[in-house]
Amino acid sequence: MNENTEHLGQINEIRSMMERSSRFISLSGLSGVFAGFFAMGGAGAFYIYLQPRLYTDFANEFPVDIKMDLIRFCLLDATAVIVLSLLFAVFFTTRKAKSVGQSIWDSTARRMLINLAIPLTAGGLYCLILLRYHWFGMIAPTTLIFYGLALLNASKYTLDEIRWLGISEIILGLIGCFFIGFGVTLWVIGFGILHIIYGLIMYVRYETKPKEAKYWQGSED
Amino acid sequence: MKELLEKLNKSFENRIRLGIMSALMVNDSVDFLTLKELLNVTDGNLASHLSALEKIEYIAVKKEFVGKKTKTSYTVTRLGRKEFNIHLGALEKLLKQNEK
């Protein structure tokens, strides 16, 4: 019996070490939840900004100065959402890294971020191209598709669930291509609701069971 | 049962050696500092286990220059990979047998 627990301990040790050395497992679910709320807040702000202008100017295209105003507001809004999401992600992930004994900036973190960044950068550039050709309606679904591909790519280096979030974003983006003009709604679903759902799943699965999360520190203490 | 126990490799009984091997199995190569952080051990302790594994040719050492500093990283050899898989297989079978 005693031998049995020893063998089980060895297997757990092996599994945890393989995971910790090859995957960035400190990603906190809460960062997803907060990113989702910020995204929805951003979309809300956009609507509040757009609402009074919608009825006065939409009938005969936006006058140039309002268009510029709108683009400036969008950029500010998006930047605020991204910066806030990242700040909270770093905070929650640092906290979780401490509890699982992984460093927040190690080779697994770098590997994950690089693999996330490549499709994301490609997507960003592609959206600039769409902007250049004035295909505004395609921008929202395109961001979702490329974001999904980026998550799918990064999922090999972090928790498996990210893969499903990626696939959901891709599907949502593709569907969105048929509903041009519902960009903000798409963003609310993709960046808001999906993030919150997946964040909660990950939080419940990995962060509310301290016993399991700490098994690799086991054999010494 | 006895047969399986014999398949367990004595070189992997130590927690740190087991950890080193596990990390190397799933990565092309791992450097000294990363191993140290992962295992949470002192330099001397880690170095002695690494050299023990190197001596029986389960792992190989690679030294390269990064700027002015040397970076030592380790990879698992073909022999090491084979032995580790035998050990892991035996562990799993033992556990399955005991479950019955």
Side-chain angles (χ1 to χ4, degrees), chain A residues 6 8 13 18 55 69 75 81 91 97 103 110 141 150 159 172 176 178 181 190 196 206 214:
Chain A
E6 195 199 307
L8 191 64
E13 196 80 42
M18 285 179 164
Y55 300 104
D69 238 27
L75 282 177
V81 169
F91 170 75
S103 137
R110 278 192 292 272
L159 301 165
L172 184 68
F178 295 98
I196 293 171
Y206 294 103
K214 276 184 179 165

Side-chain angles (χ1 to χ4, degrees), chain A residues 3-4 6-8 10-11 13-15 17-22 101 103 106-107 111 216 219-220, chain B residues 1 5 8 12 15 18-19 22-23 25-27 34 37-39 84 87-88 91-92 94-95 98:
Chain A
E3 229 170 33
N4 201 13
E6 195 199 307
H7 295 150
L8 191 64
Q10 270 199 39
I11 289 213
E13 196 80 42
I14 291 168
R15 191 193 297 149
M17 186 51 86
M18 285 179 164
E19 246 180 16
R20 264 195 315 154
S21 67
S22 64
S103 137
D106 59 4
S107 56
R111 211 158 23 176
W216 48 74
S219 64
E220 262 180 355
Chain B
M1 182 81 183
L5 281 174
L8 289 180
F12 300 139
R15 194 188 74 94
L18 192 73
S22 310
M25 287 294 284
V26 288
N27 287 285
T34 308
E37 264 175 25
L38 280 168
L39 291 156
F84 186 85
H87 181 76
L88 191 58
L91 274 179
E92 279 169 354
L94 274 170
L95 278 174
N98 288 345

Side-chain angles (χ1 to χ4, degrees), chain A residues 149-166:
Chain A
L149 289 171
L151 288 180
L152 192 72
N153 203 35
S155 71
K156 282 170 268 173
Y157 308 98
T158 180
L159 301 165
D160 268 338
E161 283 76 1
I162 299 286
R163 186 185 168 75
W164 294 103
L165 178 58

Side-chain angles (χ1 to χ4, degrees), chain B residues 32-91:
Chain B
F32 190 88
L33 267 177
T34 308
L35 280 174
K36 197 184 141 191
E37 264 175 25
L38 280 168
L39 291 156
N40 212 356
V41 285
T42 60
D43 280 10
N45 198 353
L46 179 59
S48 77
H49 286 295
L50 281 169
S51 67
L53 285 172
E54 195 195 336
K55 206 176 263 171
I56 51 176
E57 292 183 345
Y58 284 6
I59 64 172
V61 187
K62 197 172 65 185
K63 280 197 174 148
E64 56 193 346
F65 276 93
V66 179
K68 280 179 187 170
K69 281 183 186 166
T70 51
K71 189 173 127 184
T72 317
S73 49
Y74 301 85
T75 55
V76 63
T77 61
R78 199 179 290 175
L79 175 71
R81 190 172 286 276
K82 195 179 121 202
E83 292 296 329
F84 186 85
N85 280 330
I86 292 173
H87 181 76
L88 191 58
L91 274 179

Side-chain angles (χ1 to χ4, degrees), chain A residues 2 6 44 48 68 82 113 148 153 160-161 191 195 214:
Chain A
N2 214 356
E6 195 199 307
I48 291 168
M68 281 314 292
I82 292 169
L113 286 177
N153 203 35
D160 268 338
E161 283 76 1
F191 293 121
H195 271 152
K214 276 184 179 165

Side-chain angles (χ1 to χ4, degrees), chain A residues 26 31 33 41 55 70 74 90 96 101 106-107 155-157 201 204:
Chain A
S26 308
S31 49
V33 176
Y55 300 104
L70 183 69
C74 284
V90 169
K96 192 181 165 197
D106 59 4
S107 56
S155 71
K156 282 170 268 173
Y157 308 98
I201 292 175
V204 170

